Amino acid sequence: MSLFSVNKQLPSRSRSFVALLSFLVPILLWCSVSYLPFIWHPQTKITEPGSVSYFRSDMLIDNNIFDSESLKAEESGKALPQGIPANPVYLPAPHEVVRAFYTAFTTEPKRRSEKWLHESLWSSIQVIFWGFLISSLVGIPLGILAGTYDFFSRLFEPFIEFFRYLPAPAFGALAVAILGIYQSPKIAIIFIGTFFQQVLIVANTTRKLDPALLEAGQTLGANNRSMLFKIVIPGILPDLYKDTRILLGWAWTYLIVAELIGTSSGITWFITQQARYKNFDNVFAAIMMIGILGLTIDLILAWFGRRLFRWQKTQ
């Protein structure tokens, strides 16, 4: 079977291998840039300062400056500086980030006012949970109504279509003024960032329901209430579940912006502080933790989806 057959699934073993490649290729590129000096090492890490007064051990210097100072020292007959190829401080090697995954949880914050990484993660999870929950409790019913009845479609969608183009961060100052400086404005930004898209996506999913199901219900004498609760909602549940998973990922993308509003907290504050101390291995680790956490939640939801909707071919 060709790997590029149109609208055909790969064999199970091939699918697993290609899925592995999607992670393996970026990691290999990262390793190449980090460990192979001839690919990209624009700086030199000083091991011996030699006669250069401002060089210090473990100092990172641009290659052209290092070469220039080495040439000056050689021409003057002084001790030559020594160094090894290195990348900038903002691009740590994979092993440094892996080590940071452990040390970030075990290293005590430098200040008492700062939180441990697990505390920051828990704060961020709560913001995502409440923001997306409130959005779903309001947005999903409105989306179903707009997708089912033209009256609600005309009533809701024109304004929502306008509002969805307004950037959620623009409401940060207003959210703080109304809701205070703690978690509430952050939750509000997650809500604003997902709610309006959610209504439109759910409405579009509702409209894709097989018309034959609606015609059968009308033929059997179902009224509007029965059509909604016994045909429309059960009929769209599998696709609605998939939409919710996708929109949850959308909510995660607003997390960094949301946590910059009001008091500093959550994983964003941790990343900001570590960048300030130039601990970029911790910055990379924290960013990857967000991705790992989001992917893990999505895989768990997908697992539940396959069991809730067993008649679906894929979930």
Side-chain angles (χ1 to χ4, degrees):
M1 180 180 176
S2 172
L3 294 177
F4 305 102
S5 298
V6 176
N7 201 26
K8 298 283 187 180
Q9 279 197 354
L10 294 172
S12 178
R13 186 174 297 179
S14 297
R15 294 184 72 195
S16 299
F17 177 71
V18 174
L20 180 62
L21 278 180
S22 70
F23 288 93
L24 191 59
V25 169
I27 291 174
L28 288 176
L29 288 174
W30 184 15
C31 290
S32 299
V33 170
S34 298
Y35 301 126
L36 301 178
F38 59 86
I39 291 183
W40 192 69
H41 277 59
Q43 294 187 323
T44 299
K45 184 176 182 179
I46 303 299
T47 55
E48 289 291 339
S51 60
V52 184
S53 59
Y54 66 91
F55 279 5
R56 298 289 182 272
S57 294
D58 296 330
M59 184 180 185
L60 291 176
I61 293 293
D62 290 343
N63 288 338
N64 59 338
I65 297 176
F66 180 82
D67 293 340
S68 174
E69 294 295 342
S70 297
L71 182 60
K72 290 179 182 178
E74 184 179 7
E75 290 175 348
S76 302
K78 297 179 180 179
L80 296 177
Q82 303 295 322
I84 57 175
N87 282 328
V89 67
Y90 57 78
L91 185 61
H95 74 275
E96 295 173 327
V97 176
V98 171
R99 184 173 60 238
F101 267 96
Y102 171 76
T103 58
F105 285 100
T106 58
T107 303
E108 186 176 359
K110 293 187 176 182
R111 300 176 182 175
R112 290 185 178 181
S113 60
E114 297 173 5
K115 294 183 177 180
W116 289 77
L117 178 57
H118 63 273
E119 294 175 321
S120 298
L121 281 172
W122 177 239
S123 175
S124 297
I125 290 171
Q126 292 181 77
V127 169
I128 289 290
F129 174 80
W130 289 111
F132 189 70
L133 177 64
I134 296 170
S135 173
S136 298
L137 289 176
V138 182
I140 290 176
L142 291 183
I144 293 174
L145 289 175
T148 305
Y149 304 108
D150 190 54
F151 170 80
F152 289 109
S153 175
R154 297 298 102 193
L155 181 64
F156 299 147
E157 291 191 64
F159 176 74
I160 290 175
E161 285 281 5
F162 157 76
F163 207 97
R164 75 187 180 99
Y165 288 103
L166 304 182
F171 295 91
L174 185 61
V176 170
I178 297 172
L179 300 172
I181 61 173
Y182 298 103
Q183 296 292 71
S184 296
K186 306 176 194 301
I187 294 171
I189 295 301
I190 300 296
F191 173 86
I192 294 170
T194 55
F195 169 74
F196 300 98
Q197 313 292 344
Q198 190 169 35
V199 173
L200 297 175
I201 289 173
V202 171
N204 188 58
T205 295
T206 304
R207 293 189 185 101
K208 292 180 179 179
L209 181 66
D210 188 353
L213 295 175
L214 300 175
E215 292 170 1
Q218 290 171 336
T219 301
L220 294 172
N223 57 27
N224 279 338
R225 182 183 177 87
S226 297
M227 292 276 286
L228 178 62
F229 288 99
K230 295 185 178 179
I231 297 177
V232 175
I233 294 178
I236 67 170
L237 272 180
D239 289 331
L240 183 61
Y241 188 86
K242 294 177 184 177
D243 290 343
T244 302
R245 282 176 50 202
I246 294 170
L247 286 161
L248 179 58
W250 197 314
W252 276 97
T253 64
Y254 278 98
L255 177 65
I256 299 297
V257 173
E259 289 186 331
L260 292 175
I261 295 168
T263 56
S264 300
S265 64
I267 192 66
T268 304
W269 177 243
F270 178 85
I271 291 172
T272 302
Q273 288 298 96
Q274 295 304 313
R276 182 178 299 172
Y277 302 139
K278 295 187 177 181
N279 297 330
F280 287 99
D281 50 348
N282 285 341
V283 172
F284 272 69
I287 293 172
M288 290 183 181
M289 283 174 195
I290 296 175
I292 291 170
L293 185 59
L295 179 61
T296 300
I297 293 172
D298 186 70
L299 291 175
I300 292 172
L301 291 175
W303 181 85
F304 275 112
R306 287 192 294 269
R307 279 145 186 81
L308 288 172
F309 311 109
R310 295 179 182 273
W311 63 90
Q312 293 283 301
K313 291 183 179 179
T314 58
Q315 180 64 33

